[in-house]
Amino acid sequence: MVLASTIDFTLPLADPVLKFLLILLIILAAPLLLNKLRIPHLLGLIIAGAIIGPHGFNLVLRDSSIILSGTAGLLYIMFLAGLEIDMADFKRNSTKSLAFGMYTFLIPMILGTVVGIWVLRFNVLTSVLLASMFASHTLIAYPIISKLGISKNKAVSITVGGTMITDTLALLVLTIIVGMATGQVNDMFWIRLGVSILIFALIVLFGFPFIGRWFFKHVHDNISQYIFVLVMVFLGSFLAQVAGMEAIIGAFLSGLALNHLIPQSSPLMNRVELGNAIFIPFFLLGVGMLIDYRTFFTSFETIKVGLIMIIVATAAKYIAAWMPQKTFHLSTDQRSVIFGLSNAQAAATLAAVMVGYNVITGTDANGEPIRLLNESVLNGTILMILVTCTIASFAAQKGAHNIAAQDISDKEENKKESEHILIPVSNEETVEELVNLSLAIKSPQNKNGLFALKVIDNHHSDEKALKQSRRVLQTAVNTAAATDTQMKDLLRYDLRVSNAIASVVKEREITDLVVGLHKEKDIPAAFLGHIVESVLAESSVSTFIYKPAQPISTVRRNWPKKKSVSTKSSSGYET
């Protein structure tokens, strides 16, 4: 038994239960309090980290547990960015992403190098490294975009694709500059770097999908699937480090590699998105704990360097966001989203400044070490992180809100007949896959238009049949509920299953029917089965006939969403 008198309440808190409780309370309270003030809760978490951190009230140290959780949060942001990309749209906008990636890399590089040499009076290597810090950015505002449901907007796809390009190039600049400063750059350096990056990309982009497809085919436990996803995220991040790159690049490519294996409307995706609630806030709190407000009052050099860095980074990223708006004819709100996503300096910037600060290029006349990036740049970077994250959060929230509101308005104007999907269920072994197919074909806005039907033959109705039917229906309802989708369960008694299905189709105004193929091994007289063919004859709705030989997410071919192939004038079906 633990007595209250034995608990250590001294600051900073050492008791792990108290530390975790405090952090959870902050994560819970930040959105509730700041939403009323129209302040992005991401910014609130950064400020909260500064308040409770070692430079604030010293409630919690930025120890290894915070760093570990924060690293997981950062990788999670990058992984989600790759996972939630609409790959068809990503390929369609690949040229635009490349253009934006070069805009948001070259403009800060040129502007930052000029300012570093002519304004701050740094040497060339330090100026180029400083410019690379301006070129990189962190998708810290991505959770805002995801929450508002515009992650598939063209502006978001362009920005996420450009992020991969500029962060990769910026981190390569970091590797090269450090190598030059330490005298390690030679022919073998370039060969080793190029080969390692190529091998890394091939393993992640081709090996990960193969491993994922095999795993999801053979392991159907939901918890194990989620743990597998986390393993792949950290494995990809580790391989990136082995290749001489930053872990965030590996996390992003892992998201791209697993993109088509984790459908947007699936229980697994729902679990992945719930990970935001823990992992990402830890990263934001950890960033806030780095802020030391006292340095801004004790060192004029820090204030000068910090202000110059903020102005250059913000101006460069704004110009880089304005260029694609004019080039690709985007709206002002889309420009705000691009600027909001690309202005925040955090992950790669922190990595670069810490590496540059730890690289010693010599000693001065007093024997003090000469660092590639001095202490003023280190403290100025923390100030830049705070200000750019603040600007980015407000800009992304404003643009995303307007785009989301416009999308809702357009959908109301173009609102068509309500979508109702019916799934006749019978075999408990296949019901989950039938529900997963219905989740894949439904529109994202359809949250309560799914129906599961179990028909009991009047000739074989007993207590055992009733219990089995309710169990099958409950399985269907639970599978849909795991994706925050409400499914209505229907139980019918009838002499003919096809009659019951046809009646429900009319009663519930069903627009789509998802049915399983018969279990007979030999080809029956009725090729699709007597029940299915009777349903097709009696109902004129789009019908999807599915025999789940493997999980639908592991199927390589992307079938059309709705394209009925009609063999009779009154019915359509798909296989």
Side-chain angles (χ1 to χ4, degrees):
M1 179 178 179
V2 179
L3 298 177
S5 59
T6 64
I7 300 177
D8 186 6
F9 289 97
T10 58
L11 300 181
L13 296 175
D15 186 82
V17 176
L18 274 177
K19 287 172 61 177
F20 200 71
L21 174 61
L22 175 63
I23 291 173
L24 289 179
L25 287 174
I26 293 172
I27 295 172
L28 176 64
L32 298 177
L33 297 176
L34 297 174
N35 283 346
K36 296 180 180 179
L37 302 175
R38 297 185 178 275
I39 297 175
H41 72 277
L42 303 181
L43 175 59
L45 289 171
I46 294 175
I47 295 173
I51 294 173
I52 69 171
H55 306 299
F57 289 107
N58 198 29
L59 300 180
V60 179
L61 289 178
R62 192 174 185 270
D63 55 16
S64 59
S65 62
I66 299 295
I67 295 173
L68 174 62
S69 303
T71 301
L74 170 61
L75 298 180
Y76 215 78
I77 291 175
M78 297 301 296
F79 170 70
L80 278 179
L83 188 65
E84 293 186 351
I85 283 181
D86 185 329
M87 292 305 294
D89 190 53
F90 181 67
K91 292 175 182 177
R92 224 172 11 249
N93 294 311
S94 58
T95 304
K96 298 175 182 177
S97 293
L98 177 61
F100 171 69
M102 298 312 297
Y103 285 146
T104 198
F105 174 73
L106 292 176
I107 293 173
M109 283 296 300
I110 295 171
L111 191 58
T113 302
V114 170
V115 169
I117 294 174
W118 296 101
V119 178
L120 296 176
R121 302 297 180 180
F122 292 153
N123 61 46
V124 174
L125 289 182
T126 299
S127 299
V128 172
L129 181 56
L130 184 68
S132 73
M133 291 163 53
F134 302 149
S136 65
H137 58 252
T138 302
L139 296 172
I140 205 168
Y142 189 82
I144 296 175
I145 302 298
S146 181
K147 183 178 180 180
L148 290 173
I150 67 163
S151 58
K152 297 186 185 302
N153 187 274
K154 182 192 295 185
V156 179
S157 298
I158 291 173
T159 310
V160 171
T163 298
M164 179 180 65
I165 294 168
T166 189
D167 280 2
T168 301
L169 293 176
L171 293 170
L172 283 176
V173 170
L174 169 63
T175 303
I176 294 168
I177 292 297
V178 170
M180 294 176 67
T182 55
Q184 297 177 357
V185 174
N186 51 36
D187 292 341
M188 184 56 64
F189 171 86
W190 296 106
I191 295 173
R192 185 171 61 250
L193 182 63
V195 171
S196 61
I197 291 175
L198 178 61
I199 294 174
F200 155 71
L202 290 175
I203 291 174
V204 174
L205 295 178
F206 294 96
F208 279 25
F210 177 81
I211 296 171
R213 192 174 293 110
W214 178 89
F215 188 89
F216 291 138
K217 280 182 182 179
H218 294 85
V219 179
H220 304 291
D221 177 68
N222 293 325
I223 302 301
S224 297
Q225 289 183 347
Y226 181 61
I227 298 300
F228 169 78
V229 169
L230 293 180
V231 168
M232 300 308 285
V233 174
F234 281 88
L235 177 59
S237 303
F238 172 72
L239 291 176
Q241 291 181 320
V242 172
M245 305 173 70
E246 278 298 313
I248 56 175
I249 303 299
F252 179 78
L253 289 183
S254 298
L256 285 181
L258 299 179
N259 184 287
H260 69 285
L261 294 176
I262 306 178
Q264 294 297 315
S265 297
S266 66
L268 181 55
M269 175 58 86
N270 201 45
R271 290 183 177 86
V272 169
E273 290 179 343
L274 286 175
N276 291 346
I278 296 296
F279 291 118
I280 295 176
F282 269 97
F283 167 66
L284 299 172
L285 288 169
V287 170
M289 289 180 185
L290 291 170
I291 299 172
D292 184 1
Y293 67 92
R294 289 168 294 189
T295 60
F296 310 135
F297 299 100
T298 57
S299 173
F300 175 76
E301 183 68 17
T302 295
I303 296 175
K304 184 188 79 170
V305 172
L307 288 176
I308 292 174
M309 291 174 68
I310 291 168
I311 293 170
V312 173
T314 303
K317 290 299 183 180
Y318 184 84
I319 296 171
W322 178 81
M323 293 287 285
Q325 180 201 1
K326 297 302 179 183
T327 306
F328 308 127
H329 308 290
L330 302 177
S331 68
T332 304
D333 291 324
Q334 287 177 312
R335 183 193 65 201
S336 295
V337 168
I338 293 175
F339 175 62
L341 283 173
S342 61
N343 186 49
Q345 308 287 328
T349 306
L350 277 175
V353 74
M354 293 307 298
V355 170
Y357 181 75
N358 290 324
V359 173
I360 299 174
T361 58
T363 57
D364 59 17
N366 298 322
E368 295 294 326
I370 300 175
R371 302 179 184 275
L372 191 57
L373 294 177
N374 60 32
E375 192 168 345
S376 295
V377 175
L378 175 63
N379 292 327
T381 299
I382 303 304
L383 179 61
M384 181 180 68
I385 289 173
L386 174 62
V387 175
T388 57
C389 287
T390 301
I391 296 173
S393 298
F394 278 106
Q397 181 170 267
K398 179 182 177 182
H401 265 301
N402 292 340
I403 292 174
Q406 183 61 44
D407 287 346
I408 293 173
S409 176
D410 292 341
K411 286 167 186 173
E412 288 296 326
E413 291 178 3
N414 302 320
K415 193 172 182 180
K416 298 181 180 179
E417 180 185 4
S418 298
E419 179 186 55
H420 293 158
I421 301 175
L422 176 65
I423 313 164
V425 294
S426 178
N427 185 1
E428 194 171 359
E429 296 177 358
T430 60
V431 63
E432 288 190 15
E433 283 303 316
L434 290 175
V435 174
N436 287 336
L437 176 60
S438 70
L439 293 171
I441 65 174
K442 78 175 184 67
S443 63
Q445 293 75 31
N446 185 2
K447 293 293 184 182
N448 56 6
L450 269 64
F451 302 85
L453 171 66
K454 181 66 174 76
V455 182
I456 300 179
D457 190 337
N458 275 342
H459 294 303
H460 302 89
S461 59
D462 53 20
E463 188 66 24
K464 182 179 179 181
L466 180 61
K467 288 183 179 180
Q468 190 271 341
S469 299
R470 287 177 174 169
R471 187 168 62 249
V472 172
L473 287 173
Q474 190 60 46
T475 301
V477 170
N478 292 343
T479 303
T483 65
D484 290 334
T485 302
Q486 182 181 358
M487 175 174 283
K488 298 180 179 66
D489 55 322
L490 307 173
L491 188 64
R492 289 294 183 95
Y493 290 86
D494 206 303
L495 293 174
R496 292 179 61 212
V497 175
S498 58
N499 283 346
I501 295 174
S503 298
V504 173
V505 166
K506 294 177 181 179
E507 293 170 6
R508 301 286 179 167
E509 299 180 342
I510 299 300
T511 57
D512 300 277
L513 193 61
V514 177
V515 297
L517 193 63
H518 57 79
K519 297 188 293 184
E520 299 177 34
K521 295 182 179 179
D522 299 327
I523 299 177
F527 177 71
L528 298 175
H530 292 290
I531 294 177
V532 174
E533 295 203 352
S534 297
V535 170
L536 291 174
E538 298 174 20
S539 304
S540 56
V541 296
S542 296
T543 303
F544 297 82
I545 303 171
Y546 180 42
K547 184 172 184 179
Q550 64 188 68
I552 191 170
S553 62
T554 63
V555 177
R556 288 178 180 272
R557 181 172 178 179
N558 294 321
W559 295 93
K561 192 170 182 179
K562 285 187 181 180
K563 182 180 177 184
S564 298
V565 181
S566 180
T567 56
K568 300 178 182 178
S569 60
S570 62
S571 63
Y573 61 87
E574 290 186 353
T575 58

